[in-house]
């Protein structure tokens, strides 16, 4: 394919290519994503909507034959009017979903029928879906013992940071977001080093910091009580609850600084527990060495397993993604039935 042609791929181009195929062949829908990590995530979702008539091919966008990454690049086709029936963009919601049209990018994400987003802040938040974390630990360690309630920890931490999170969105829905930025918010909710034995103390420390900052913001904005309450109600409509706030904070912060350190500590303890069991149950040295070697070779990397976690299929954000894609696929079928009838 020539450089000029590659740089001018549009939904109409892919539609024409599909029409050249026989009616028995499946029609291809191109899905642009932000980065390599997004490919597997969106493949796990889009594959559920493939049929005998339609299939998806996930790609990173290119411009002038140069591979591009990031949300802006994935949305470029939408912003230039190139998306459509056969070309879609799949991106992280970031804050663009929650600020509800306060910026141009937010309006594109909310209003384009060919742009699909995570509803949660990013794919990392979905990978860290709290009810699925025990299964991740089992996949890593091959040990099904429950030694720490990771779901409860994330939910309690979410409840602790929720009041300040509302303030952060409150600012981002105005032109004064630079007065309380996401960086400021993340600095307050920093948990520090994780320890299973001190989990409750970590949450209490975060709660104290949050309450202190919230009081400062209330004093800075004395007439904000009513608008703050309206925002809480609107966030509830959008799916944000105190117990699920972790799904809507910055994804890399959640993944790298909250969930991964916790999961590593839990998995390390589970591995040592399993190794101790092998030590106790082995009848002789050779058996012990063989069993330990076999187990060690079966243990997998925590980070890699968390990135491949698909337990988010039960989450509220996924249900909203599913509804959007169902509506899109139904419209695709209707449009093509109409074309065939007219023909």
């Amino acid at each position: 394919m020539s450089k000029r042609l590659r740089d001018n791929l549009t939904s109409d181009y892919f539609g024409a290519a599909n029409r050249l195929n026989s009616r028995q062949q499946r029609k291809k829908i191109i899905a642009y994503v932000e980065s390599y990590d997004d490919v597997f995530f969106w493949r796990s979702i889009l594959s559920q909507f493939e049929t005998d008539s339609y299939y998806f091919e996930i790609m990173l966008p290119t411009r002038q034959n140069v591979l591009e990454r990031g949300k802006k690049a994935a949305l470029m086709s939408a912003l230039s009017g190139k998306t459509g029936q056969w070309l879609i963009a799949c991106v992280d919601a970031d804050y663009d979903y929650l600020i509800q049209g306060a910026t141009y990018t937010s309006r594109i994400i909310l209003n384009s029928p060919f742009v699909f987003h995570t509803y949660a802040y990013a794919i990392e938040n979905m990978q860290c879906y709290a009810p699925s974390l025990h299964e991740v630990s089992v996949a890593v360690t091959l040990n099904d013992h429950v030694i720490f309630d990771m779901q409860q920890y994330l939910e309690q931490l979410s409840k602790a940071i929720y009041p300040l999170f509302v303030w952060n969105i409150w600012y981002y829905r105005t032109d004064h977001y630079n007065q309380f930025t996401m960086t400021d918010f993340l600095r307050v909710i920093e948990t520090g080093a994780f320890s299973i034995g001190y989990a409750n103390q970590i949450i209490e420390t975060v709660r104290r910091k949050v309450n202190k900052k919230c009081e400062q913001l209330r004093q800075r904005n004395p007439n904000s009580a009513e608008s703050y309450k309206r925002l809480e109600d609107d966030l509830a409509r959008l799916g944000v609850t105190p117990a699920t706030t972790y799904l809507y904070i910055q994804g890399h912060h959640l993944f790298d600084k909250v969930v991964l350190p916790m999961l590593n500590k839990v998995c390390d303890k589970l591995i040592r527990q399993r190794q101790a069991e092998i030590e106790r149950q082995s009848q002789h040295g050779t058996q012990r060495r063989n069993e330990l070697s076999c187990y060690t070779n079966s243990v997998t990397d925590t980070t890699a397993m968390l990135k491949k976690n698909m337990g988010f299929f039960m989450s509220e954000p996924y249900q909203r993604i599913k509804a959007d894609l169902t509506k899109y696929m139904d419209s695709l079928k209707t449009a093509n039935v109409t074309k065939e009838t007219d023909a």
Side-chain angles (χ1 to χ4, degrees):
M1 184 181 295
S2 70
K3 178 178 176 181
R4 172 176 286 184
L5 181 57
R6 183 184 296 276
D7 292 337
N8 288 278
L9 298 181
T10 66
S11 177
D12 291 338
Y13 168 84
F14 291 109
N18 283 329
R19 285 192 294 273
L20 290 175
N21 296 327
S22 69
R23 291 189 176 183
Q24 285 71 39
Q25 285 186 305
R26 292 201 299 172
K27 296 177 173 61
K28 179 166 66 176
I29 304 166
I30 297 296
Y32 280 149
V33 298
E34 298 183 46
S35 69
Y36 295 113
D37 287 340
D38 295 74
V39 174
F40 177 77
F41 175 84
W42 284 104
R43 163 49 52 189
S44 67
I45 293 176
L46 295 176
S47 62
Q48 299 179 68
F49 295 87
E50 294 181 330
T51 67
D52 292 339
S53 301
Y54 306 100
Y55 72 99
F56 294 91
E57 182 175 332
I58 300 173
M59 299 173 56
L60 267 66
T62 58
R63 184 165 59 92
Q64 296 182 355
N65 213 29
V66 176
L67 186 67
E68 292 193 320
R69 299 174 63 186
K71 187 173 188 176
K72 182 178 179 181
L75 286 174
M76 182 176 59
S77 55
L79 299 177
S80 61
K82 291 184 178 181
T83 54
Q85 190 178 29
W86 307 109
L87 197 159
I88 64 176
C90 299
V91 298
D92 289 338
D94 300 325
Y95 271 3
D96 291 315
Y97 167 57
L98 297 183
I99 64 177
Q100 288 290 287
T103 65
Y104 180 55
T105 302
S106 177
R107 291 191 290 273
I108 289 291
I109 284 179
L110 294 177
N111 299 324
S112 173
F114 307 116
V115 174
F116 301 91
H117 62 87
T118 53
Y119 285 95
Y121 186 95
I123 67 169
E124 288 84 3
N125 304 71
M126 303 287 274
Q127 292 161 349
C128 294
Y129 182 54
S132 70
L133 292 179
H134 175 67
E135 282 68 28
V136 175
S137 71
V138 175
V140 171
T141 68
L142 306 180
N143 187 340
D144 198 25
H145 293 169
V146 178
I147 60 172
F148 179 71
D149 194 333
M150 293 182 282
Q151 178 177 347
Q152 183 184 61
Y153 175 79
L154 274 187
E155 290 177 354
Q156 291 301 315
L157 182 62
S158 288
K159 291 176 182 178
I161 69 176
Y162 171 77
L164 192 60
F165 176 77
V166 176
W167 273 114
N168 200 211
I169 300 301
W170 189 89
Y171 272 94
Y172 270 82
R173 285 194 179 189
T174 73
D175 295 331
H176 309 294
Y177 64 89
N178 60 339
Q179 295 180 14
F180 183 49
T181 65
M182 185 186 303
T183 301
D184 298 330
F185 167 69
L186 295 177
R187 188 177 298 117
V188 175
I189 68 168
E190 179 69 55
T191 56
F194 178 80
S195 171
I196 293 177
Y198 289 91
N200 290 334
Q201 289 91 323
I202 292 172
I203 293 174
E204 283 304 316
T205 299
V206 170
R207 184 178 287 111
R208 285 196 299 270
K209 293 191 296 179
V210 165
N211 290 340
K212 180 179 178 180
K213 186 63 179 181
C214 284
E215 182 58 31
Q216 292 175 359
L217 295 175
R218 280 191 292 268
Q219 292 178 6
R220 188 185 302 172
N221 303 277
N223 301 316
S224 62
E226 186 176 340
S227 60
Y228 183 95
K229 180 60 172 66
R230 285 199 306 269
L231 177 55
E232 278 193 296
D233 294 339
D234 194 44
L235 290 176
R237 175 184 66 85
L238 298 175
V240 182
T241 68
T244 61
T245 309
Y246 72 94
L247 288 171
Y248 303 93
I249 70 173
Q250 187 192 59
H252 285 297
H253 179 92
L254 177 71
F255 192 102
D256 295 331
K257 296 190 176 183
V258 179
V259 173
L260 191 58
M262 172 182 65
L263 194 58
N264 277 331
K265 286 293 179 67
V266 170
C267 288
D268 286 346
K269 190 169 183 177
L270 287 171
I271 289 171
R272 291 195 302 270
Q273 186 184 77
R274 179 66 78 204
Q275 290 171 334
E277 290 177 356
I278 293 173
E279 292 275 359
R280 288 195 310 269
Q281 296 170 1
S282 297
Q283 296 180 349
H284 48 77
T286 300
Q287 184 185 43
R288 183 180 67 252
R289 287 190 296 272
N290 289 341
E291 287 293 327
L292 286 173
S293 177
C294 180
Y295 177 65
T296 299
N297 291 333
S298 299
V299 169
T300 56
D301 179 70
T302 308
T303 303
M305 191 60 68
L306 189 57
K307 286 186 175 183
K308 296 295 189 292
N309 180 27
M310 293 188 290
F312 59 81
F313 286 136
M314 299 300 293
S315 69
E316 171 69 17
Y318 172 71
Q319 297 307 316
R320 294 179 181 240
I321 298 171
K322 183 178 178 181
D324 289 345
L325 284 167
T326 299
K327 182 179 178 181
Y328 164 70
M329 295 303 292
D330 288 344
S331 68
L332 216 125
K333 295 172 188 175
T334 301
N336 284 284
V337 167
T338 302
K339 287 181 180 179
E340 290 179 5
T341 301
D342 293 341

